[in-house]
Amino acid sequence: MFGCNENKTNQNVVRIHIRANSNSEADQQIKLKVRDDVLAFVTPLIAGCKDSDEVKNILASNTQSINQIADNVLIENGFDYIANSRVSCEYFPSRNYNGTIFEADYYDALIVNLGSGEGNNWWCVAYPPLCFVGEETGGNVVYKSKLLELINKYFGR
């Protein structure tokens, strides 16, 4: 359905990318606020998913709601552009986060473009649930699972 299923390496990975309108400080900050509200919405929807196809289907069927959530954050904070979400197969460069390597390749992903979507993005892996958010601590980056924190918040784990 989404185009990456033929790829044996990445067929079971679903990414989330939230792309800022630009690299201005304001656009980068609003991207993080949108991230928080979008993750708060999708976390309970995908928390019990058994496979990547189920995650992709749920995300694809909720893009209108995801757009509305993002648009509400943008409007409440005085931005005059809107969000555009879709689930699609896209090429992403290699990433190594805390020993977890995601090879450069095509991945199915929820893409949330804010405005032009030409700024730096925030990303995580929705399935398996490995959403990483870096925190600066004295020059080091410590990784934690934002998605797992939300799952624990909603389901008391």
Side-chain angles (χ1 to χ4, degrees):
M1 175 179 178
F2 299 102
C4 290
N5 288 336
E6 295 79 27
N7 182 324
K8 301 293 187 225
T9 305
N10 300 323
Q11 70 180 352
N12 294 319
V13 175
V14 181
R15 295 169 70 145
I16 297 175
H17 280 247
I18 301 177
R19 297 172 176 164
N21 182 58
S22 75
N23 286 330
S24 74
E25 181 72 23
D27 283 342
Q28 289 298 310
Q29 290 301 313
I30 199 64
K31 169 189 73 182
L32 299 178
K33 288 182 180 183
V34 168
R35 171 205 64 196
D36 291 346
D37 283 12
V38 167
L39 285 181
F41 174 73
V42 302
T43 297
L45 296 178
I46 64 174
C49 289
K50 303 295 185 224
D51 60 40
S52 61
D53 286 335
E54 188 178 0
V55 171
K56 289 181 275 192
N57 287 328
I58 287 171
L59 292 174
S61 66
N62 282 282
T63 55
Q64 189 171 14
S65 296
I66 292 166
N67 285 338
Q68 187 62 53
I69 289 164
D71 289 347
N72 287 343
V73 173
L74 293 168
I75 291 166
E76 289 169 5
N77 288 276
F79 290 83
D80 62 356
Y81 52 80
I82 61 172
N84 182 4
S85 303
R86 69 186 183 285
V87 175
S88 64
C89 178
E90 293 198 11
Y91 181 82
F92 297 102
S94 293
R95 296 288 177 131
N96 181 345
Y97 286 101
N98 203 31
T100 301
I101 298 171
F102 296 93
E103 298 293 337
D105 209 339
Y106 289 87
Y107 292 84
D108 285 317
L110 169 67
I111 306 295
V112 182
N113 284 325
L114 306 179
S116 70
E118 295 178 3
N120 289 341
N121 72 77
W122 174 89
W123 76 278
C124 72
V125 177
Y127 191 87
L130 301 173
C131 284
F132 294 117
V133 178
E135 289 186 345
E136 292 293 332
T137 57
N140 297 319
V141 177
V142 176
Y143 294 94
K144 61 181 182 177
S145 173
K146 182 74 170 169
L147 189 59
L148 182 58
E149 286 178 8
L150 289 169
I151 290 169
N152 289 341
K153 176 181 171 186
Y154 284 104
F155 299 102
R157 293 183 187 157

